[in-house]
Amino acid sequence: METDPAWPVMVLAHNEEEKIAACLDSVCAAEPGKALDIYVMANGCTDGTEDIVREYSCLHPEVHLVSIPLGDKCNAWNVFIHEIVPERCPGREVYFFMDGDARIRAGSLSALAGALQADSHAYAASAVPGSGRSMAKDRRDILEQRGLVANLYALRGTFVERLRQCGVRLPLKLEGDDGLLGALIKWNLEPRGEWDDRLIHPCPDAVFDFDPVPVGKLTEWPKYWRRLVRYGRRHFEFQLLGPRLRRMGLAGLPTDIQELYADADTLRLPWKGIYTLTHLVALRQMRRIGRMRQAARVPS
């Protein structure tokens, strides 16, 4: 007797030795009786993440370690879409994506799959946070603006196939991979066309949890600072990338987002209240990298 194919779950993990076991525990327990294929995309790990996943897979054969030397989240996503999907789990109705520092609540995968099944117009279903300092606002934004966050979302299988056929690859080093993917979905993979919010279906019954950076501990301040600077880079990267995609379509996707940093001198620093300083640091970083890349291309 034929059985339903396993649901593929991609887990992005970079140096997550402290959290990856809890992440996998939550996924394995999320859907009792439903077969899962869990692919841990361990990218550039220099800690014990891969060893933990190997040991975990001995007791949970549905967990598969995919070791990727390059530590880049977007590259790991590209590897899953263009290599793992066609080789190991082609033709599935739905694919799930999550971060290795998140945990999902029971029934969340079924909720996402059910949302796509009920809404034939949507290509993606997005989960909502169940924790975090700004949980209420983030949850409201996802539901009202039909947003998509990397912590947990699902893509319709036919849309994943279109991503592959169109050769869509997220730019290396990009901050805000989920923001770009959400935009490509709402553009229906044609950035020069119309924007359709309905192509992402927010699902309040699919919930993820994560541990926010404990800013009350002085030892965690450098980590929090780096995160805020990354948010600043994300803001400016989309200022460079958005107009380019509107002009060129998918052909405007660079291989590496830093290819666009040469134009960072055209950007202006916005007023962001207390975050203006981290945006300033991000902009200066981008301008410095842009000048270095330009200098490297100038013949001596």
Side-chain angles (χ1 to χ4, degrees), residues 131-152:
S131 60
R133 282 181 291 273
S134 58
M135 178 191 71
K137 179 183 181 300
D138 293 343
R139 183 185 182 97
R140 184 172 61 252
D141 288 347
I142 291 171
L143 295 176
E144 294 179 357
Q145 301 175 20
R146 292 178 173 262
L148 182 145
V149 291
N151 302 83
L152 178 62

Side-chain angles (χ1 to χ4, degrees), residues 168-182:
V168 173
R169 293 178 182 270
L170 301 182
L172 302 182
K173 304 184 185 71
L174 175 72
E175 298 291 346
D177 51 298
D178 46 4
L180 174 57
L181 179 61

Side-chain angles (χ1 to χ4, degrees), residues 10-17 19-21 23-24 39-47 49-50 53 65-68 70-73 76-77 98-101:
M10 185 207 74
V11 179
L12 289 173
H14 172 71
N15 288 348
E16 296 291 355
E17 64 179 6
K19 299 178 180 179
I20 191 63
C23 170
L24 295 175
Y39 298 94
V40 181
M41 313 299 288
N43 59 102
C45 293
T46 56
D47 63 356
T49 299
E50 292 196 10
V53 175
L65 173 65
V66 181
S67 181
I68 305 171
L70 179 62
D72 188 283
K73 185 176 184 179
W77 187 92
M98 67 177 297
D99 282 342
D101 61 352

Side-chain angles (χ1 to χ4, degrees), residues 187 189-194 244-251:
W187 274 322
L189 297 186
E190 179 42 80
R192 292 167 295 191
E194 297 297 322
R244 176 184 169 103
L245 292 176
R246 294 295 282 177
R247 291 194 312 269
M248 303 170 61
L250 292 180

